[in-house]
Amino acid sequence: MSYAAVGPAVPAVPPAAVLCGVGAWVPPRVVTNDELAIRLDTDDTWIRTRTGIRARHVLEPGQATSDLAVEAGRRALACAGIVAGEGVDAVVVATTTPDRTCPGTAPLVAARLGLTGAAAFDVAAVCTGFVYGLATAAGLITAGVARRVLLIGADAYSTIVDPLDRANAIIFGDGAGAVVLRAGNADEPGAVGPFDLGSDGAHEDMIMVAAGGSRQPVTLDGTSRTDRHFAMRGKEVYRHAVTRMTESARTVLSKAGWKTDDVDHFVPHQANLRILCSVADDLELPRERCVTHVESVGNTGAASIPLALADAAARRTLTPGDRLLLTAFGGGLTWGSCLLTWPTLPTPAPPHHQGEHRTP
Ligand code: UT7
């Protein structure tokens, strides 16, 4: 019996997810190391030598993560040539600082971008959120659920870090970065993948906000200030970050059959300049191939990789055909990597305001 009449014998090749837009935004207010040293027992030299950070941007009181996400999303949509949100099927927001515990931030962001009706949800993987979100958004496309997805990494750590905690207040900044993915072919520039994703929940207490979830609801009388704020065991996290990022980068390179030397730009999560340099050294990647943005924005959590991408694209550091390795690490613990070849894109608007000094 022949089945020829009932349909094609060979299944259609599933679409690949192709990056077709990038954009980012940081709030105008710049906080320099010297400004932090006024209220904290720290100084510019300590911060610069231990982290590479010179300044960070922070929200004004009353602003929230969705305000960052909407600006970055708008810029990525414009870069992708998408007018009035037409044809975007899903909006994914990777964040550790959602506007509220409930509901997710993505539906509000979608509505404010004129995308009411699109699927919208948050991804929670702390500083690895963008890479997890990229895998999730790509999965929506390869599964045929969506044709175009807006993925935004947005975080406002200034809202959860204790302003008097010198160990963390110096590191983090607020910002958002976004990409648009569309259905396309695996062999065209911009196609994302392969991926490597991983986690180790045995170390959940290494990076945490203890109170505010179901394990430890916030109570008026029983919640200490420490429990409500972001806490991190920096030295231990540092060691895990270097090891896991290096391993994850090696894994994804071997999945694709790339050698380290094939990588034109290493775009790591911008945690600390010393971590980025250590990972690049361990991978035997020349440090000048490491895209860094941490000097002027600090650690912006889930926003850091798309912010670095948008900043590099705005400065025309990324040229079509360049091969990129994205690698992240964060609370959970979580880590992940992804490869892509940079596509031809219109130059996006810079994440910083015009005329602003990037490095004070
Ligand atoms: O994004 C998610 C992943 N996050 C990360 O990857 C962050 C990883 N960790 C780090 O980046 C670093 O561990 C930090 C930047 C957080 C800290 O740098 P460190 O070189 O590990 O410093 P440390 O915590 O070992 O502290 C060294 C000394 C301590 O003093 P003593 O005990 O040696 O007298 C600290 O009390 O530096 C002191 N210190 C500071 N001094 C001036 C800690 N913070 C400060 C500060 N200013 N802001």
Side-chain angles (χ1 to χ4, degrees), residues 198-271:
S199 75
D200 182 359
H203 297 298
E204 78 145 358
D205 60 344
M206 218 174 263
I207 296 176
M208 114 177 334
V209 178
S214 59
R215 174 69 61 196
Q216 192 181 337
V218 174
T219 56
L220 282 180
D221 46 357
T223 309
S224 73
R225 203 183 73 174
T226 318
D227 287 349
R228 279 185 281 117
H229 282 126
F230 176 88
M232 174 168 72
R233 298 211 298 274
K235 228 177 181 45
E236 289 168 70
V237 170
Y238 188 115
R239 283 196 295 270
H240 281 270
V242 173
T243 308
R244 293 300 189 182
M245 288 174 81
T246 307
E247 283 173 1
S248 179
R250 285 205 180 110
T251 302
V252 82
L253 288 172
S254 103
K255 273 189 190 177
W258 289 15
K259 296 189 201 60
T260 304
D261 203 40
D262 293 329
V263 175
D264 297 303
H265 304 283
F266 175 41
V267 191
H269 164 53
Q270 312 277 304

Side-chain angles (χ1 to χ4, degrees), residues 29-328:
R29 175 152 154 61
V30 179
V31 176
T32 62
N33 293 344
D34 286 338
E35 186 177 337
L36 285 180
I38 295 169
R39 65 175 150 90
L40 296 170
D41 181 16
T42 189
D43 58 77
D44 175 56
T45 307
W46 193 97
I47 301 172
R48 270 193 296 105
T49 51
R50 296 289 179 126
T51 69
I53 299 166
R54 292 170 181 272
R56 69 287 298 143
H57 292 244
V58 298
L59 287 175
E60 298 292 345
Q63 290 184 309
T65 295
S66 63
D67 299 314
L68 299 165
V70 166
E71 288 298 332
R74 205 188 310 281
R75 286 162 178 236
L77 291 171
C79 177
I82 296 173
V83 196
E86 269 173 16
V88 173
D89 306 308
V91 176
V92 181
V93 174
T95 187
T96 305
T97 57
D99 281 21
R100 304 181 194 283
T101 310
C102 172
T105 301
L108 174 65
V109 171
R112 287 178 59 189
L113 288 170
L115 296 169
T116 299
F121 59 95
D122 293 1
V123 165
V126 197
C127 296
T128 319
F130 180 76
V131 176
Y132 269 65
L134 201 55
T136 307
L140 290 174
I141 289 173
T142 55
V145 176
R147 299 280 301 167
R148 280 202 290 204
V149 182
L150 172 64
L151 165 65
I152 306 170
D155 266 318
Y157 271 85
S158 67
T159 63
I160 58 170
V161 169
D162 180 350
L164 300 177
D165 169 9
R166 70 172 178 174
N168 289 312
I170 59 145
I171 302 177
F172 290 96
D174 301 339
V179 296
V180 180
L181 299 177
R182 64 165 171 79
N185 301 315
D187 56 1
E188 61 177 306
V192 298
F195 284 89
D196 170 65
L197 302 177
S199 75
D200 182 359
H203 297 298
E204 78 145 358
D205 60 344
M206 218 174 263
I207 296 176
M208 114 177 334
V209 178
S214 59
R215 174 69 61 196
Q216 192 181 337
V218 174
T219 56
L220 282 180
D221 46 357
T223 309
S224 73
R225 203 183 73 174
T226 318
D227 287 349
R228 279 185 281 117
H229 282 126
F230 176 88
M232 174 168 72
R233 298 211 298 274
K235 228 177 181 45
E236 289 168 70
V237 170
Y238 188 115
R239 283 196 295 270
H240 281 270
V242 173
T243 308
R244 293 300 189 182
M245 288 174 81
T246 307
E247 283 173 1
S248 179
R250 285 205 180 110
T251 302
V252 82
L253 288 172
S254 103
K255 273 189 190 177
W258 289 15
K259 296 189 201 60
T260 304
D261 203 40
D262 293 329
V263 175
D264 297 303
H265 304 283
F266 175 41
V267 191
H269 164 53
Q270 312 277 304
N272 175 330
L273 197 58
R274 285 160 56 216
I275 293 179
L276 313 190
C277 291
S278 290
V279 177
D281 292 351
D282 288 353
L283 291 171
E284 294 178 31
L285 242 168
R287 286 186 183 181
E288 53 277 14
R289 294 197 202 166
C290 185
V291 175
T292 63
H293 194 31
V294 67
E295 300 89 340
S296 54
V297 296
N299 180 341
T300 54
S304 84
I305 288 181
L307 240 171
L309 285 177
D311 185 58
R315 287 188 282 121
R316 298 191 171 89
T317 306
L318 306 177
T319 46
D322 285 352
R323 292 173 163 215
L324 273 60
L325 162 63
L326 318 181
T327 300

